Amino acid sequence: MTGSATTIVRNCHVFDGVQDRPYAGAVAVRDGRILAVGPEAGVRAAAPDSAREVDLGGGYVMAGLLNMHTHLSLSLPGPGGDAVSRMSPHSLALYMASGARRTLHSGVTTVRCVAEKAHAEFALRAAIDAGWTSGPRIFTAGRALVCTGGHGHEGSDTLECDGADAFRRGTRAQISAGADLIKVMISGGIAGEHEAIDTPQLTGDEIAAVIETAHAWGRKVTAHAGPAPIIEQAVRLGLDCVEHGYQLTEPVVKLMAENGTSLVPTLIVTRCKDFFDSLGVPEWMQQRSLGAGERHVESYRLALAAGVELMLGSDMPPFQPTEGTTATVRELEHMAAFGLAPVEALRAATIVPARWLGADEQLGTVEPGKYADLIAMDTDPTQDVSALRSLRWVMKGGEVVRDDRTGLRA
C-alpha cells in the first residue's frame, strides 16, 4: 500500500489527541496526510468512492509516538557497546538503519537524536526521506558538545570543546551539518567512569555561548544534566530542555516551569538492569545507575507537581525489548506510574514533543492536514498506557509499515 492512494482506516476508535477520550470513527488518508477524521459516515463523504479500506477490527488509533531521547548508535561501557564502537563507518550506517526500521515498527514514527556517531544520522535521514530504507522521521542534534574529558567524550558522537569561543564554533559546526537542535553535556552522568552524576563540566560562559549561538540561528538547546545547581544556572541562561534531571529540587523545577524549560526524564535508565546485563555493562555503572533510581523518581515528581512540561524519551534504543515490551512503552509506563495521568502521558509522547520541535502543524495529533503517522492497538490507551503493549499496526506517511494480522513488516 503506497502513501499516494486514498485510504479509509475504519472500524476503530480514534484518540485524536485533541479530545481527552477516543470515539468510534474513521480516518481518511491521501497523499501521505490525513484528509478527514471523525464519524465514519462523514469520513466516507470526504473520500472518493474508489478509496481503499483498512479494517482495524475495533482497535484504538492514535498519532505515532515521538521519542525525544534517542541514540541509534548507542555504545555503553561493556562488550556490547565496544562492538558498536569498533564498527566501520559502513557497518555503523547499516546498523543504525536496522535500528531505525525496528524503531518505526515499534510505533515510534519520529525521533529526536541527541548524539550520534560520525554524523551518520544525517545520511540515514536522507536515505529514509528518499525511500531507500524504512525508519522514523529524524530530528537531530548532530554531535553533542562536551568539555575535554567530559561526559561521553570517548566517541565520535561528541565534540570536545573548551572555552566560550570553542563552544560557539562547535555549535555552528553542528548547525552547518544540518542539526535541528543542539545538545550539550553540562554535568557528569551514569556512563562516565571518572566522573559523578553531579560533576559540573561547563562554565557559565561556555553554557551561555552555546545557548546564545544556537538561539541566534533559530535552534533550541537541550542539556544532559543531573544536579540542580548546574541546571539552575543553565535555565537562567535560557536553556530549552533538560535531559534526565536526576537531582532536581523544588526551587529549580519552579524556575524551569516559569521559564518554559522542558524535561525529558528518561526514568528507564535508572531501572533497566536487564538491558545492562544484555550488554555486559560493568558493575560500577550498574550500581551508579540503579542506585540513582529513587532520587530520580523524586526529581520527576517534583517537576510534575511544579507544572514542568514533560516529554517522553527512553535513552535506550526505542525498540529495545525490556520487561515484556519496548523501552519506549516502558518509559511511558514509568511516567504514568509515577504520577502522570494516562491522557497526559500520551500527549507527552505525541503533541507536546511535536510542539517543542516546532512540528506541531505536521505531527502529534490525528487532525486533517497532518502527516498520516498512525498506530493502532487492541485496548484504550487513555485508560491505561500499557495498552500500547498490544500495538499491532503502524502507518507512516500514509503507508502501512506493520500489520500483525498479515505479518507485514515493511
Side-chain angles (χ1 to χ4, degrees):
M1 180 181 297
T2 65
S4 59
T6 300
T7 303
I8 297 176
V9 181
R10 59 172 298 275
N11 190 13
C12 58
H13 301 84
V14 180
F15 171 60
D16 60 18
V18 179
Q19 302 180 59
D20 288 345
R21 294 289 177 264
Y23 57 84
V27 184
V29 175
R30 183 171 64 197
D31 296 329
R33 293 183 180 265
I34 297 169
L35 173 66
V37 59
E40 187 169 326
V43 169
R44 285 189 176 279
D49 294 339
S50 60
R52 303 172 180 177
E53 293 189 5
V54 174
D55 186 331
L56 287 181
Y60 288 77
V61 175
M62 61 175 285
L65 304 176
L66 285 81
N67 192 314
M68 293 288 277
H69 194 121
T70 302
H71 303 282
L72 294 172
S73 56
L74 180 70
S75 58
L76 296 176
D82 291 345
V84 176
S85 296
R86 288 193 299 266
M87 287 180 179
S88 71
H90 309 88
S91 297
L92 179 66
L94 292 171
Y95 174 81
M96 291 173 65
S98 173
R101 183 171 180 268
R102 296 170 69 185
T103 293
L104 182 58
H105 289 165
S106 73
V108 177
T109 54
T110 299
V111 295
R112 187 185 68 162
C113 295
V114 285
E116 300 292 359
K117 290 180 171 51
H119 279 172
E121 80 278 16
F122 292 108
L124 176 60
R125 178 168 65 182
I128 292 170
D129 291 346
W132 300 344
T133 190
S134 181
R137 304 182 193 280
I138 294 177
F139 293 80
T140 183
R143 298 170 71 180
L145 306 180
V146 303
C147 67
T148 295
H151 184 74
H153 72 279
E154 302 91 346
S156 63
D157 50 355
T158 57
L159 178 65
E160 287 183 309
C161 308
D162 288 299
D165 286 346
F167 274 97
R168 287 191 187 94
R169 286 194 296 272
T171 300
R172 291 172 182 143
Q174 304 321 300
I175 294 170
S176 177
D180 306 288
L181 64 139
I182 298 298
K183 166 88 174 288
V184 61
M185 311 293 206
I186 65 174
S187 80
I190 63 174
E193 186 172 7
H194 304 297
E195 63 188 36
I197 288 175
D198 60 357
T199 303
Q201 294 192 345
L202 265 68
T203 62
D205 61 334
E206 290 172 331
I207 297 171
V210 173
I211 294 172
E212 290 170 1
T213 305
H215 286 179
W217 285 77
R219 302 318 195 264
K220 290 183 176 179
V221 179
T222 194
H224 163 99
I230 190 71
I231 292 172
E232 177 181 3
Q233 181 182 35
V235 171
R236 293 190 184 280
L237 290 169
L239 183 67
D240 300 292
C241 187
V242 171
E243 308 297 310
H244 313 303
Y246 299 117
Q247 300 171 356
L248 296 171
T249 61
E250 191 169 348
V252 170
V253 295
K254 182 175 182 290
L255 182 68
M256 289 173 64
E258 291 171 349
N259 285 269
T261 306
S262 304
L263 173 66
V264 180
T266 67
L267 293 166
I268 197 170
V269 302
T270 55
R271 43 193 41 79
C272 59
K273 182 169 175 51
D274 61 340
F275 176 58
F276 290 153
D277 287 344
S278 72
L279 295 177
V281 169
E283 187 62 25
W284 66 261
M285 180 177 163
Q286 293 211 29
Q287 289 182 1
R288 182 184 297 175
S289 173
L290 303 177
E294 184 176 349
R295 182 68 177 86
H296 195 184
V297 170
E298 179 186 342
S299 294
Y300 170 75
R301 285 176 162 154
L302 286 173
L304 178 59
V308 173
E309 182 178 76
L310 301 168
M311 300 187 293
L312 169 73
S314 61
D315 204 353
M316 292 165 57
F319 57 84
Q320 178 68 37
T322 181
E323 298 183 359
T325 185
T326 64
T328 300
V329 173
R330 193 71 187 103
E331 175 67 19
L332 202 61
E333 289 177 334
H334 287 316
M335 293 176 77
F338 295 128
L340 193 59
V343 171
E344 296 311 313
L346 296 177
R347 289 187 172 126
T350 52
I351 188 58
V352 175
R355 188 182 305 123
W356 193 95
L357 291 167
D360 49 311
E361 293 188 0
Q362 310 291 334
L363 306 169
T365 56
V366 186
E367 295 183 271
K370 294 195 174 185
Y371 285 121
D373 294 356
L374 306 171
I375 59 176
M377 62 218 74
D378 291 332
T379 55
D380 184 357
T382 67
Q383 297 301 306
D384 185 348
V385 298
S386 291
L388 284 158
R389 288 177 176 247
S390 67
L391 180 84
R392 56 179 170 84
W393 183 88
V394 179
M395 171 184 276
K396 180 197 169 194
E399 181 178 359
V400 177
V401 296
R402 172 181 171 182
D403 189 339
D404 290 2
R405 295 172 301 175
T406 64
L408 173 68
R409 294 291 180 102

